[in-house]
Amino acid sequence: MKKRINSLFLGLLAIGMPLYVSGQEVEITTNVGVMRAKLYEDVPHHVQTFVERAKAGAYDGTLFTRVIRDFMIQGGAPDSRGAAPGQRVGFGDRSAEILPEATPQHFHKRGALAAPRQNDDINPKRKSDMSQFFIVQGRVYRSGELDTLELIANQKARKKALDAYYYPVKAELTELRTNNPREFNKRAARITAQIDSVVRATPGHLIFTPAQREAYTTVGGAHHLDGQYVVYGELTEGFDVLEKISRQPTDKYDRPKQDIQILHVKILE
């Protein structure tokens, strides 16, 4: 098996196919400071495309064109390079779109590096626009807020499951609780599992993982973006720069009134 893998590796080199290098880092130098991020190993297509564009200088000289406090900062759009003050920019490049990669393990915590995209009505495949990137600032949530969000999102699905699995045997369960607590606990656990299964199988359901709860109640983030965009990295340094950019006064299109320029995006080998 090892010999076959080595042969494949040499074959890829021979035909000039770009190889993904795991654990890469990126340095984003702006006119207000420097941010560093690590790129994830399990989102290879997005990372490879981002790395190729960065090495080609595609992001250098562009602006952060969309800045929303307590949400995110977005930049890199080619139409922002040399844009006049007040000009509406940040429309991206449809030719730079790539298909999304499934990354449920990565979510939009503070510092998440992700790919924007056009809306579903004109981009039904939800392709990522790699001509730009955004970095999440977000906000911190209370644990009770996350509980409420789950309850609201899952209300209809949970009612459907209760109607199917709980209410038909409610009287029986009430009797078991008194007469046979052990059997009651077994039945209750089984019904709870059935209800949870229905909720999880329902499109649009919301169940925060322990990792999401930990992040959103400590460092914060933008939970409503989860499952909608591809996250392919996260900040490791420069959170103060993220905060500084997010607090810039903006115009009605969310462009900073004073240009926040991306001077250079460097891949750290």
Side-chain angles (χ1 to χ4, degrees), residues 175-187:
E175 185 176 344
L176 281 176
R177 182 193 287 270
T178 303
N179 300 330
N180 191 343
R182 186 173 181 178
E183 181 62 22
F184 166 81
N185 289 335
K186 288 171 59 178
R187 292 281 298 277

Side-chain angles (χ1 to χ4, degrees), residues 153-157 160 197-206 228:
N154 302 329
Q155 186 175 15
K156 290 183 178 180
K160 178 182 177 181
S197 179
V198 170
V199 171
R200 292 178 183 276
T202 302
H205 77 275
L206 178 62
Q228 304 296 315

Side-chain angles (χ1 to χ4, degrees), residues 3 18 42 78-79 113 115 139-140 153 156 170 189 203 252 260:
K3 184 177 181 180
D42 51 2
D79 65 354
L113 172 65
R139 70 176 183 87
V140 175
K156 290 183 178 180
K170 180 179 179 181
K252 63 180 180 179
I260 305 299

Side-chain angles (χ1 to χ4, degrees), residues 49 53 58-59 74-81 89-98 116-118 123 127-133:
T49 304
R53 292 184 65 85
Y59 303 118
Q74 180 172 314
D79 65 354
S80 68
R81 188 180 286 108
V89 290
F91 291 99
D93 181 358
R94 297 302 302 271
S95 69
E97 291 180 342
I98 63 173
R117 64 175 176 82
Q118 295 285 351
N123 179 28
K127 293 182 178 180
S128 298
D129 177 9
M130 297 304 293
S131 74
Q132 308 183 64
F133 58 86

Side-chain angles (χ1 to χ4, degrees), residues 25-40:
E25 293 185 322
V26 57
E27 184 176 80
I28 303 170
T29 302
T30 77
N31 61 337
V32 295
V34 177
M35 296 176 283
R36 281 193 176 189
K38 65 179 181 181
L39 304 174
Y40 294 144

Side-chain angles (χ1 to χ4, degrees), residues 12-13 15-21 48 52:
L12 291 173
L13 288 178
I15 63 176
M17 181 177 290
L19 294 174
Y20 171 65
V21 180
Q48 179 176 302
E52 289 174 350

